[in-house]
Amino acid sequence: MADEVTFFIDGRPCTAAAGDNLVEAAADNGVYIPTLCHYKGHKPLGTCRVCMVRVDGREAAACTFGVRDGMRVDVDAPELADARKALIELLFVERNHFCPACEKSGRCDLQAVAYHMHLTVPRFPYRYVPFTVENFAGKLLIDHNRCILCGRCEEFVRRGDSKVFAMKQRSSEARITVDLALLAEMSANEIAHAVHVCPVGAILAPGQGFDTPIGRRKYDTHRIGEITDGRD
Amino acid sequence: MPADITAILDRYGADRTRLLDMLWAVQDADGHITQPAIEGLAAGLSLSRAEIEETVSFYHFFSMQPAGRHRIYLNNDVSTQLSGRYEAVRDAFEEACGCTFGTVSADGRFGLYDTACIGMCDREPAALIDFVPFTDLTPERVAKIVASLKDGVATKSLAAAFDSGCDVVTTRWQRTGPVFDPRTAAGPSLEALFSLAPGEILEAVAASGLRGRGGAGFSTGLKWRLCRETKAATRYVVCNADEGEPGTFKDRALLTDMPHLLIEGMVAAAYAIDASAGVIYLRAEYRYLFDRLDSLIADYRKAGWLGHNIAGSGFDFDLRLQLGAGSYVCGEESALIESMEGKRGSPRNRPPFPVEAGFCGMPTIVNNVETLAAVPRILKEGADWYAGFGTEKSPGTKLLSVAGDCARPGIYEVPFGITVGEFLDMVGAEPALALQVSGPSGECINAAQSRHRRLCHEDLSIGGAMTVFSAERDLLDHMSRFLSFFIAESCGICTPCRSGNVAMKTLLERLRDGRGEQRHLADLERWGHIIAETSRCGLGASAPNPVLSSLREFPDLYAALVDGREAEMFVPGFDLDASTGDYRRIVERARSNGR
Ligand SMILES: Cc1cc2nc3c(=O)[nH]c(=O)nc-3n(C[C@H](O)[C@H](O)[C@H](O)COP(=O)(O)O)c2cc1C
Ligand code: SF4
Ligand code: SF4
């Protein structure tokens, strides 16, 4: 086991093993740092940037940092909270998130983080670009209106070494795509894993959107910062 | 004839890192990247089709549909807008080719496309036709060029007939210097170089104070030492010849006129850090230089500079070229490494830095062309000689690519520390309104108020691009174009850069349309800071710079956009009272009726 070290969050001493992922180490010390792309226990992606904190005086995505002895982390500062909120707003205005009509409502991280931050109206103008919903042979749906391009599906859904999901194009044209040959080979369990990996309602399995009734889902009963296990 | 995928896979040893080369080979044979080719490559490389498409679709110069037998990419960067002939040239292309930009002509002969800066800023308007540059375009020239292409004249021989030759675009050397003079600049001989110990090279480079010329100004000596100190089976030297910053063409000058210095610099670097292989990552826009550089590398190999047991030292090192495929962010060193590995150019998270884990996970130094080319000069003339130029924190000299509204555009070598005033006088830019220092990712400064400021890391960092705007220019229009450039070139994986810059642009356009308010100026500033602070890489971090720096330097231009707005009958947003008035009246009526 790596050395236990002391680091500081907003001046409060915390402990963790050296090198521990900062988002996870903070959670273990009772400090919730919001994030969307971080998939607990896996390699950090550093794409959504929502875990923005200050590490030793410099802005940094907490998920990409390992804990070091004596490290000073600012989480609570108002300008940091505002920047994190702005990032959530930027995701909401970029695509079309109609939570009341979404199968993921109540177990969507984007929605839950927005509630957590008391987000009401985004400061940025809505883009209102219509996106498509793709139905892959009745096996899997991708609703691009809801994709936040976090890259989790790309990184954490694989068959062998091959990526099942990939990102096509770049800039605001970037789109998630799925490899049809690999999809055809995927089992129901693997599909369920892909749905679970997606933090929002962009990857869905047909017929399973309402398996748990709305109102009884994880974020219907708990605030996002309180949930640490893998429950749905 | 369809591309022979088996032969292509063989040629590159079915090595996934060579995917860009394989895609170029397919596209050269088939005109575009076909579905069967994607399937063949996927099977041969044990990748999913989606993974291949991820790479193909990321790059501007790859296409998955027929894109015209002659592909014409007309530069639409700011420096071409300043030429005054851009619109006319663009129209001339559309008329001659019979299609609009972004489309292919009905007969499939021509494809017309917009493209960002192609590094010909002192010779605009300029276009790449089948990756051969045609510069100094006029509508008449365009008509002639297209007519010749229709007659079946080969693009290369056609270019030779124009001043802009097919393998060389003549550099306008306005001022050569002690370090880079195309007629005389030489490094140490092979024997002299290898009579030094690797540690002595590291020391000389450190003592010269050389700092990276790619923009960030990191100490080259330190970078090399950090790489050398990382224990590993092998190390790599990478030359960043991606030169994508709009307005920059100084690396093109070196690649054209002094490529020997670059190769010798890479050999010296490799020997110093104990690297086994080197790669020059050449932007696709400079593909016309590929064969020339490749044969020069072959000459060096023949002369014993490259290969096995160089100069009897027991040291092995070889070098190759890697052609990019059209992406500005691939100039960012970790994105460049991703691209060298055959992937889309998403910048990596740091740490680890390339000196710890770079190409294929091995310690790698990435250096700019100018940085590496300076090394043989330092080794030849001495570190003290070099450090004698420039300022304390910015030793040496810098190549500047000068374009825009000035009498003498071209390449200048200047010592660090010259003032903005001296610069403007030197290039014949009086009176100038603004100077874009280091391209869009640098700063837009007020020329008149900044004459005393110094061009060096202590004050105004210089990357290479210097674009002059005269008082007639609509400066904010150009800032807006810069922002559009960053929006289009964002790799798209992080939220602030991908989405935030679009929001900035929307707000800026709203202001420029006269629909903004005073408070929006503060919003622009705050949004810009959020994007800069939260972005994953330098592209997002500098994308708001055109707006932020022009806000700071030209507050009056922005104030004029909102002046008097408060006085007008301007409804700043949604008026809750007015919109719900009828409802309120019904409620009140109901109340007074006693219900
Ligand atoms: C978006 C972006 C584009 C860049 N483009 C280039 C480039 O075209 N050429 C270059 O040398 N450096 C470029 N850089 C800087 C490189 O990341 C890196 O710092 C540089 O190649 C290091 O070499 P140097 O130390 O010799 O300057 C770019 C950086 C960013 C963030
Ligand atoms: S589909 Fe889901 S997991 Fe994949 S990038 Fe989009 S939001 Fe992330
Ligand atoms: S800042 Fe822009 S270019 Fe850089 S990683 Fe983020 S999206 Fe990609």
Short mmCIF file of all heavy atoms in Angstrom, two decimals, chain A residues 36 95 142-144 146-154 165 167 176 194-195 197-203, ligand 2:
data_model
loop_
_atom_site.label_atom_id
_atom_site.label_comp_id
_atom_site.label_asym_id
_atom_site.label_seq_id
_atom_site.Cartn_x
_atom_site.Cartn_y
_atom_site.Cartn_z
N LEU A 36 -18.39 14.70 -14.40
CA LEU A 36 -19.25 13.91 -15.29
C LEU A 36 -18.47 12.82 -16.01
O LEU A 36 -18.95 11.72 -16.20
CB LEU A 36 -19.91 14.83 -16.33
CG LEU A 36 -20.88 15.86 -15.77
CD1 LEU A 36 -21.36 16.80 -16.87
CD2 LEU A 36 -22.06 15.18 -15.11
N ARG A 95 -26.46 21.14 -26.54
CA ARG A 95 -27.36 20.18 -27.19
C ARG A 95 -28.75 20.36 -26.58
O ARG A 95 -29.01 21.38 -25.95
CB ARG A 95 -26.80 18.77 -27.05
CG ARG A 95 -25.43 18.70 -27.73
CD ARG A 95 -25.12 17.41 -28.36
NE ARG A 95 -23.90 17.52 -29.17
CZ ARG A 95 -23.32 16.52 -29.79
NH1 ARG A 95 -23.83 15.31 -29.70
NH2 ARG A 95 -22.23 16.69 -30.52
N ILE A 142 -28.65 5.76 -29.86
CA ILE A 142 -27.82 6.90 -29.45
C ILE A 142 -28.62 8.16 -29.73
O ILE A 142 -28.99 8.44 -30.86
CB ILE A 142 -26.48 6.97 -30.21
CG1 ILE A 142 -25.64 5.72 -29.91
CG2 ILE A 142 -25.71 8.22 -29.82
CD1 ILE A 142 -24.24 5.76 -30.51
N ASP A 143 -28.91 8.89 -28.67
CA ASP A 143 -29.59 10.17 -28.82
C ASP A 143 -28.54 11.27 -28.72
O ASP A 143 -28.09 11.63 -27.63
CB ASP A 143 -30.66 10.35 -27.74
CG ASP A 143 -31.48 11.60 -27.99
OD1 ASP A 143 -31.03 12.45 -28.80
OD2 ASP A 143 -32.57 11.75 -27.39
N HIS A 144 -28.16 11.79 -29.89
CA HIS A 144 -27.10 12.79 -29.92
C HIS A 144 -27.52 14.11 -29.28
O HIS A 144 -26.67 14.93 -28.97
CB HIS A 144 -26.63 13.01 -31.36
CG HIS A 144 -25.99 11.81 -31.96
ND1 HIS A 144 -24.69 11.45 -31.68
CD2 HIS A 144 -26.47 10.84 -32.79
CE1 HIS A 144 -24.39 10.33 -32.33
NE2 HIS A 144 -25.46 9.94 -33.01
N ARG A 146 -28.40 14.42 -26.45
CA ARG A 146 -28.04 14.37 -25.03
C ARG A 146 -26.57 14.06 -24.78
O ARG A 146 -26.13 14.05 -23.64
CB ARG A 146 -28.87 13.28 -24.35
CG ARG A 146 -30.35 13.50 -24.46
CD ARG A 146 -31.08 12.24 -24.03
NE ARG A 146 -32.52 12.39 -24.19
CZ ARG A 146 -33.35 11.36 -24.15
NH1 ARG A 146 -32.89 10.14 -23.94
NH2 ARG A 146 -34.64 11.55 -24.30
N CYS A 147 -25.84 13.77 -25.83
CA CYS A 147 -24.45 13.37 -25.63
C CYS A 147 -23.61 14.56 -25.18
O CYS A 147 -23.71 15.65 -25.74
CB CYS A 147 -23.89 12.79 -26.93
SG CYS A 147 -22.14 12.45 -26.86
N ILE A 148 -22.80 14.38 -24.16
CA ILE A 148 -21.92 15.46 -23.69
C ILE A 148 -20.47 15.22 -24.12
O ILE A 148 -19.56 15.89 -23.65
CB ILE A 148 -22.00 15.62 -22.16
CG1 ILE A 148 -21.64 14.32 -21.45
CG2 ILE A 148 -23.40 16.12 -21.75
CD1 ILE A 148 -21.42 14.48 -19.96
N LEU A 149 -20.25 14.26 -24.99
CA LEU A 149 -18.93 13.97 -25.56
C LEU A 149 -17.86 13.74 -24.50
O LEU A 149 -16.71 14.14 -24.66
CB LEU A 149 -18.51 15.11 -26.51
CG LEU A 149 -19.40 15.26 -27.75
CD1 LEU A 149 -19.09 16.57 -28.47
CD2 LEU A 149 -19.22 14.10 -28.70
N CYS A 150 -18.27 13.09 -23.42
CA CYS A 150 -17.33 12.86 -22.32
C CYS A 150 -16.29 11.81 -22.68
O CYS A 150 -15.23 11.74 -22.07
CB CYS A 150 -18.08 12.43 -21.07
SG CYS A 150 -18.88 10.83 -21.26
N GLY A 151 -16.62 10.95 -23.64
CA GLY A 151 -15.65 9.93 -24.04
C GLY A 151 -15.66 8.67 -23.19
O GLY A 151 -14.82 7.79 -23.38
N ARG A 152 -16.59 8.56 -22.26
CA ARG A 152 -16.59 7.38 -21.40
C ARG A 152 -16.90 6.11 -22.19
O ARG A 152 -16.25 5.07 -22.00
CB ARG A 152 -17.62 7.55 -20.26
CG ARG A 152 -16.98 8.18 -19.05
CD ARG A 152 -17.96 8.70 -18.05
NE ARG A 152 -18.79 7.69 -17.43
CZ ARG A 152 -19.32 7.83 -16.20
NH1 ARG A 152 -19.08 8.93 -15.49
NH2 ARG A 152 -20.08 6.91 -15.70
N CYS A 153 -17.86 6.19 -23.09
CA CYS A 153 -18.21 5.00 -23.87
C CYS A 153 -17.01 4.55 -24.70
O CYS A 153 -16.72 3.36 -24.83
CB CYS A 153 -19.41 5.28 -24.77
SG CYS A 153 -19.20 6.70 -25.84
N GLU A 154 -16.31 5.55 -25.25
CA GLU A 154 -15.18 5.25 -26.10
C GLU A 154 -14.10 4.50 -25.32
O GLU A 154 -13.53 3.52 -25.79
CB GLU A 154 -14.61 6.60 -26.56
CG GLU A 154 -14.04 6.57 -27.91
CD GLU A 154 -13.35 7.87 -28.25
OE1 GLU A 154 -13.79 8.96 -27.81
OE2 GLU A 154 -12.36 7.80 -28.98
N PHE A 165 -17.16 2.20 -29.39
CA PHE A 165 -17.60 3.57 -29.67
C PHE A 165 -16.38 4.41 -30.05
O PHE A 165 -15.28 4.16 -29.56
CB PHE A 165 -18.26 4.19 -28.44
CG PHE A 165 -19.54 3.52 -28.05
CD1 PHE A 165 -19.54 2.44 -27.18
CD2 PHE A 165 -20.76 3.97 -28.56
CE1 PHE A 165 -20.72 1.81 -26.82
CE2 PHE A 165 -21.94 3.34 -28.21
CZ PHE A 165 -21.93 2.26 -27.34
N MET A 167 -15.16 8.62 -31.61
CA MET A 167 -15.62 9.99 -31.84
C MET A 167 -15.26 10.40 -33.25
O MET A 167 -14.09 10.39 -33.63
CB MET A 167 -14.97 10.94 -30.84
CG MET A 167 -15.65 12.30 -30.81
SD MET A 167 -14.85 13.44 -29.68
CE MET A 167 -15.34 12.75 -28.11
N ILE A 176 -20.44 10.99 -31.44
CA ILE A 176 -20.11 9.62 -31.04
C ILE A 176 -20.69 8.66 -32.09
O ILE A 176 -21.79 8.87 -32.60
CB ILE A 176 -20.71 9.34 -29.64
CG1 ILE A 176 -19.82 9.99 -28.58
CG2 ILE A 176 -20.85 7.84 -29.38
CD1 ILE A 176 -18.40 9.45 -28.51
N ALA A 194 -22.78 -0.59 -21.41
CA ALA A 194 -22.61 0.65 -22.18
C ALA A 194 -23.60 1.71 -21.71
O ALA A 194 -23.25 2.88 -21.56
CB ALA A 194 -22.78 0.37 -23.67
N VAL A 195 -24.84 1.29 -21.47
CA VAL A 195 -25.86 2.24 -21.00
C VAL A 195 -25.43 2.80 -19.65
O VAL A 195 -25.56 4.00 -19.39
CB VAL A 195 -27.23 1.53 -20.89
CG1 VAL A 195 -28.26 2.45 -20.24
CG2 VAL A 195 -27.70 1.08 -22.26
N VAL A 197 -22.36 3.04 -18.47
CA VAL A 197 -21.16 3.86 -18.59
C VAL A 197 -21.52 5.29 -19.00
O VAL A 197 -20.89 6.25 -18.57
CB VAL A 197 -20.20 3.22 -19.63
CG1 VAL A 197 -19.20 4.23 -20.17
CG2 VAL A 197 -19.46 2.04 -19.00
N CYS A 198 -22.53 5.44 -19.82
CA CYS A 198 -22.92 6.77 -20.28
C CYS A 198 -23.55 7.55 -19.12
O CYS A 198 -24.53 7.11 -18.55
CB CYS A 198 -23.91 6.67 -21.45
SG CYS A 198 -24.44 8.28 -22.04
N PRO A 199 -22.98 8.69 -18.77
CA PRO A 199 -23.49 9.42 -17.59
C PRO A 199 -24.82 10.12 -17.85
O PRO A 199 -25.48 10.55 -16.91
CB PRO A 199 -22.39 10.45 -17.31
CG PRO A 199 -21.72 10.68 -18.62
CD PRO A 199 -21.81 9.37 -19.37
N VAL A 200 -25.20 10.24 -19.12
CA VAL A 200 -26.45 10.91 -19.46
C VAL A 200 -27.32 9.94 -20.26
O VAL A 200 -26.98 8.76 -20.39
CB VAL A 200 -26.18 12.20 -20.28
CG1 VAL A 200 -25.45 13.22 -19.42
CG2 VAL A 200 -25.38 11.89 -21.54
N GLY A 201 -28.40 10.46 -20.84
CA GLY A 201 -29.31 9.57 -21.56
C GLY A 201 -29.00 9.46 -23.03
O GLY A 201 -29.92 9.36 -23.85
N ALA A 202 -27.73 9.44 -23.38
CA ALA A 202 -27.38 9.38 -24.79
C ALA A 202 -27.31 7.95 -25.32
O ALA A 202 -27.60 7.69 -26.47
CB ALA A 202 -26.05 10.10 -25.04
N ILE A 203 -26.90 7.01 -24.47
CA ILE A 203 -26.87 5.61 -24.90
C ILE A 203 -28.00 4.89 -24.16
O ILE A 203 -28.05 4.88 -22.93
CB ILE A 203 -25.52 4.94 -24.57
CG1 ILE A 203 -24.39 5.66 -25.30
CG2 ILE A 203 -25.56 3.46 -24.97
CD1 ILE A 203 -23.02 5.04 -25.07
S1 SF4 C 2 -22.59 8.74 -25.60
FE1 SF4 C 2 -22.62 9.01 -23.37
S2 SF4 C 2 -20.68 8.12 -22.68
FE2 SF4 C 2 -20.49 8.42 -24.88
S3 SF4 C 2 -19.54 10.43 -25.06
FE3 SF4 C 2 -21.75 10.76 -25.20
S4 SF4 C 2 -22.35 11.22 -23.11
FE4 SF4 C 2 -20.33 10.31 -22.98
#
